[in-house]
Amino acid sequence: MSVLLDVQDLQTRFQVRKGFVYAVNGVSFQLDQGDTLAVVGESGCGKSVTMLSLVRLLPPAASIESGQVLLRGEDLLQLNLRQLRDVRGGEIGMIFQDPMTSLNPFINIGTQMAEPLIYHRGMSKSEALARSAELLEMVGIPDGEARLREYPHQFSGGMRQRVMIAMSMSCEPAVLIADEPTTALDVTIQAQIVELVKELRDRSGVAVIWITHDLSVVAGIADRVIVMYAGYIVEEAPVDALFEDPRHPYTVGLMGALPSLAGETGTRLTTIGGSPPDLVDLPDFCPFHPRCPYAIDRCRKENPMLEPVIDASDGGHRAACWVDIREVELEAGAAAGSV
Amino acid sequence: MSQTDSSNRAPLVRVENLTKHFSVRIGAYGETKATVHALDEVSFDVRRGETLGLVGESGCGKSTAGLTLLQLHRPTSGKVYFEEKEVTGLSEKEMRPLRRRMQIIFQDPYSTLSPRMTIGNAIGEPLWLHELASGREAQERISRLLNDVGLNPAFAFRYPHEFSGGQRQRVCIARALACEPEFIVCDEPISALDVSIQAQIINLLQDLQEEYDLTYLFIAHDLAVVRHISDRVAVMYLGRVVEMAPKESLFDNPLHPYTNALLLSVPVPNPRKERQREHIVIQGNVPSAISPPSGCRFHPRCPLAFEPCAHEVPEWREAEPGHWVACHAV
């Protein structure tokens, strides 16, 4: 498969009164055609800013300091605004977390859905409306033609998210960026939306970037996963390898913190002590070390690079950590055994 | 956790046919009066020392249940008993001494703390209001509470904006604990927090339960969290409790089709299992509580629905010892 989207050394920072907030620090990843990449991390880890940087949908205080975003070899960071507009909603579709605020409450659904079709596809209004009605049916909203005349408040949260998905897929994008698309939804509706996106992806071959804080959702939808912390990618792996053989202490911590329907009960959850760091300085140490149970001296002095892990069960498994945590666990196990 | 057999303990709180309707005006100009059936004929009990989990999707009435139970909403009908003493119908004044013993922790630690009050004062307020302590003694208790919830006692003079979400939730917990309650309603206490912080708060709530001998009504939408923290679980759908059981029977042997659908909707954090398991997705949306479906409220979405479901409200019965369900089909 060919590389569709190639992001190289992306850096985004925000100007604040005291200086800069370093939100994204040298993020690189590739996305193949038809691939689903999940980006996981807690609030403020830079996952959303990374994805907004791809299409430069950033607030004025933010600036992209370096990097390349190559979509089929063309650098999106070099495009002028007009060229970029053809990409946004055209080649790259987007869904956001809150379907409540992503739709204009004063304009009916039909007009909002027709807009990208008219702009990107040069359709007439009536063609665009007819296509929009089909799209609504495609995302599971029956009686599409009648519903085009309705306004966002007449749709439930799950239905609005379906409308957003229909809109983002309307111009047959090559990449769909979904920024926490199910976070605001109930669990039964979340399951519906996840199934819908999977179905659309398999049918259209769109590559999906799924941003979430919820590792359990990732297990069901992703091919590969990126874990972010403090604006860095700390681990990248195929989904099975990540869940079965996580190598970064932060990933391990996230998984331990997650109660599951199948897990033991009556046990304590393992926690990650402390809270995420301020991003006001670029660290010359591992940003996770203050919360890391495995931290050694080197972690306080040098920030590790994202490098292939030792004995990877699968290609493309990389982690940014000075410690081989399996070795530490083995030693701990041996020490416990010898006592 | 209080995994000791809680089945033969006396109920601390008992709720009988609790109903709460809200009057609203609908239509473009508010010209039509309507009733939101937020809570209908709900009965359950919470036994001393246990955690009863209350789960359901948004709008199912789980928060209304918590607020009505505490008399923060006056119920439309039905009764609430605290230590077998009826509290519905008590005046505010008669209620006051009981309020000390029943507390609540809310979802959003950002909006529940006054930005103009130091957290020491926020925690101390219940002490002064209930005249439990003052002066140096109050200060000592505040320090101890901060320490118990894992915060530095020196933080007492700081303001809420200086704290992260998880720390603020710790402050809210300390405030709820200040007047030494026996019963705490935890209304989605971790939903606004990040995963790693959620785990910290869950562990803290469990530690405090042991230390202070607390009884929790734990309201949440996250089934995995509820399974982790609860002894028994009640599932709500559109204003009614549809199933209630000890957590093992509820999660291993769900009887109500809605409980089953909910459990199947939860993603499994294991890619291989997730690919293998059947993905039965429950169709449709939760109907409006203004005009809830007749009979069993779940019948329009229910795969097992048959003739009586649309007409008759299913009876709330004990299908197995300790396992209650309201469904015609089981």
Side-chain angles (χ1 to χ4, degrees):
Chain A
M1 266 191 274
S2 60
V3 175
L4 177 65
L5 185 72
D6 185 4
V7 177
Q8 290 297 334
D9 193 35
L10 188 69
Q11 292 192 36
T12 304
R13 64 183 191 189
F14 287 80
Q15 172 93 57
V16 292
R17 214 169 9 169
K18 291 177 198 153
F20 294 102
V21 169
Y22 295 87
V24 180
N25 305 315
V27 163
S28 306
F29 64 90
Q30 279 93 37
L31 183 68
D32 291 335
Q33 223 134 25
D35 216 6
T36 301
L37 174 74
V39 184
V40 188
E42 298 180 88
S43 354
C45 73
K47 55 191 192 301
S48 291
V49 177
T50 302
M51 297 311 147
L52 292 176
S53 301
L54 302 186
V55 283
R56 284 149 64 191
L57 276 176
L58 293 165
S63 60
I64 299 172
E65 289 301 303
S66 74
Q68 284 186 313
V69 178
L70 303 169
L71 180 68
R72 296 204 180 92
E74 183 183 29
D75 190 354
L76 300 185
L77 300 184
Q78 302 305 325
L79 299 183
N80 64 35
L81 274 181
R82 213 194 134 69
Q83 293 166 317
L84 196 60
R85 214 150 39 209
D86 290 338
V87 175
R88 295 173 179 164
E91 283 285 277
I92 298 185
M94 296 224 205
I95 319 168
F96 297 100
Q97 173 174 351
D98 188 357
M100 211 77 107
T101 49
S102 323
L103 291 165
N104 186 329
F106 293 106
I107 301 176
N108 68 38
I109 294 294
T111 311
Q112 297 193 54
M113 287 191 70
E115 204 178 328
L117 288 165
I118 295 167
Y119 182 85
H120 291 291
R121 288 288 140 110
M123 287 185 185
S124 70
K125 177 106 193 228
S126 58
E127 281 169 347
L129 285 175
R131 176 76 189 131
S132 301
E134 283 171 29
L135 286 164
L136 282 185
E137 311 242 339
M138 182 184 83
V139 296
I141 301 180
D143 203 11
E145 218 180 297
R147 303 225 60 179
L148 286 179
R149 287 189 292 275
E150 294 185 359
Y151 289 81
H153 74 268
Q154 290 164 292
F155 290 74
S156 68
M159 285 291 160
R160 278 189 214 126
Q161 201 58 293
R162 285 174 192 267
V163 171
M164 287 304 297
I165 291 170
M167 265 170 98
S168 63
M169 294 292 291
S170 64
C171 298
E172 289 152 26
V175 182
L176 178 67
I177 300 178
D179 189 356
E180 304 249 11
T182 60
T183 305
L185 305 175
D186 274 318
V187 58
T188 59
I189 309 297
Q190 165 171 295
Q192 292 175 2
I193 297 293
V194 169
E195 287 304 308
L196 173 67
V197 171
K198 278 203 246 179
E199 190 194 315
L200 292 175
R201 171 195 67 189
D202 295 344
R203 208 166 352 139
S204 68
V206 66
V208 179
I209 298 177
W210 187 283
I211 304 170
T212 181
H213 67 275
D214 187 344
L215 270 171
S216 353
V217 175
V218 169
I221 195 163
D223 300 310
R224 281 189 311 130
V225 187
I226 283 174
V227 182
M228 287 191 71
Y229 188 79
Y232 293 90
I233 295 179
V234 294
E235 185 159 5
E236 177 182 0
V239 67
D240 288 356
L242 188 89
F243 279 87
E244 283 158 19
D245 186 19
R247 295 297 183 88
H248 196 281
Y250 178 62
T251 316
V252 175
L254 275 185
M255 293 197 183
L258 200 67
S260 98
L261 283 183
E264 294 272 311
T265 64
T267 53
R268 280 175 71 80
L269 297 172
T270 52
T271 58
I272 307 175
S275 38
D278 274 348
L279 305 174
V280 289
D281 286 306
L282 269 181
D284 49 4
F285 46 79
C286 171
F288 187 60
H289 89 260
R291 304 175 74 190
C292 181
Y294 300 96
I296 54 173
D297 254 1
R298 192 171 186 188
C299 307
R300 296 177 192 96
K301 292 174 193 144
E302 286 174 78
N303 194 355
M305 302 278 289
L306 190 63
E307 276 168 4
V309 300
I310 304 160
D311 314 328
S313 58
D314 210 320
H317 192 165
R318 300 189 293 162
C321 183
W322 293 123
V323 182
D324 185 351
I325 58 174
R326 294 168 317 151
E327 221 164 71
V328 178
E329 291 298 330
L330 274 179
E331 276 166 23
S338 66
V339 170
Chain B
M1 276 300 312
S2 47
Q3 270 306 348
T4 46
D5 189 18
S6 62
S7 57
N8 46 25
R9 290 198 212 172
L12 179 66
V13 177
R14 193 155 59 83
V15 168
E16 230 179 63
N17 296 326
L18 197 64
T19 300
K20 178 68 193 175
H21 292 170
F22 295 98
S23 305
V24 289
R25 293 184 158 272
I26 55 172
Y29 304 99
E31 72 279 17
T32 318
K33 273 191 184 168
T35 307
V36 178
H37 299 253
L39 204 61
D40 255 333
E41 308 267 317
V42 163
S43 302
F44 59 82
D45 56 358
V46 193
R47 297 166 191 151
R48 199 178 275 281
E50 80 166 349
T51 300
L52 177 71
L54 194 57
V55 274
E57 297 179 88
S58 28
C60 73
K62 53 191 191 300
S63 290
T64 307
L67 294 172
T68 312
L69 185 157
L70 293 177
Q71 304 296 302
L72 294 172
H73 286 320
R74 290 285 165 181
T76 308
S77 66
K79 291 187 169 120
V80 178
Y81 297 90
F82 186 76
E83 286 186 325
E84 294 303 321
K85 181 175 182 286
E86 191 182 334
V87 297
T88 30
L90 292 186
S91 69
E92 254 330 300
K93 201 174 158 197
E94 291 166 318
M95 196 59 208
R96 178 91 20 101
L98 286 173
R99 293 229 182 272
R100 185 188 72 72
R101 303 169 62 189
M102 310 158 84
Q103 288 290 315
I104 184 164
I105 302 164
F106 293 100
Q107 172 172 357
D108 182 2
Y110 292 87
S111 55
T112 43
L113 291 170
S114 165
R116 303 220 224 175
M117 212 184 232
T118 62
I119 63 158
N121 283 339
I123 295 170
E125 203 178 22
L127 294 176
W128 301 313
L129 286 178
H130 289 289
E131 295 169 4
L132 298 172
S134 58
R136 173 174 296 236
E137 197 195 337
Q139 293 308 326
E140 275 166 13
R141 283 197 33 190
I142 292 165
S143 299
R144 203 166 61 233
L145 284 162
L146 280 169
N147 194 41
D148 283 353
V149 297
L151 293 174
N152 186 339
F155 289 174
F157 301 100
R158 297 197 185 176
Y159 288 88
H161 74 264
E162 298 173 68
F163 295 93
S164 67
Q167 288 174 319
R168 283 182 217 211
Q169 199 57 294
R170 287 173 191 270
V171 173
C172 294
I173 293 171
R175 180 165 63 170
L177 287 175
C179 44
E180 294 174 343
E182 288 142 72
F183 176 66
I184 300 183
V185 174
C186 307
D187 190 358
E188 303 249 12
I190 58 164
S191 307
L193 308 174
D194 268 318
V195 186
S196 72
I197 310 297
Q198 284 189 355
Q200 293 175 7
I201 298 295
I202 291 173
N203 284 348
L204 174 66
L205 286 171
Q206 291 187 326
D207 292 345
L208 292 171
Q209 180 168 42
E210 216 157 276
E211 197 177 325
Y212 285 77
D213 196 14
L214 295 167
T215 305
Y216 289 144
L217 177 67
F218 192 90
I219 301 170
H221 65 272
D222 186 329
L223 287 147
V225 169
V226 166
R227 176 175 179 269
H228 183 85
I229 201 168
S230 309
D231 299 304
R232 289 188 305 140
V233 178
V235 181
M236 283 189 76
Y237 183 77
L238 209 55
R240 292 226 171 97
V241 177
V242 295
E243 185 165 4
M244 180 167 74
K247 77 168 161 203
E248 295 81 12
S249 13
L250 190 102
F251 284 93
D252 298 342
N253 178 28
L255 295 177
H256 199 283
Y258 176 64
T259 313
N260 203 27
L262 261 187
L263 290 175
L264 287 175
S265 302
V266 179
V268 180
N270 178 325
R272 285 185 210 275
K273 280 193 191 140
E274 182 69 24
R275 278 193 293 271
Q276 281 159 9
R277 87 185 169 102
E278 41 177 354
H279 286 263
I280 304 166
V281 171
I282 174 178
Q283 295 305 319
N285 290 291
V286 182
S288 156
I290 289 180
S291 48
S294 60
C296 170
R297 291 189 175 172
F298 187 57
H299 85 263
R301 301 172 78 191
C302 181
L304 304 180
F306 64 119
E307 202 272 324
C309 301
H311 310 297
E312 288 167 46
V313 178
E315 186 199 352
W316 180 237
R317 60 193 177 82
E318 196 168 9
E320 288 160 21
H323 196 143
W324 293 73
V325 67
C327 179
H328 291 298
V330 284

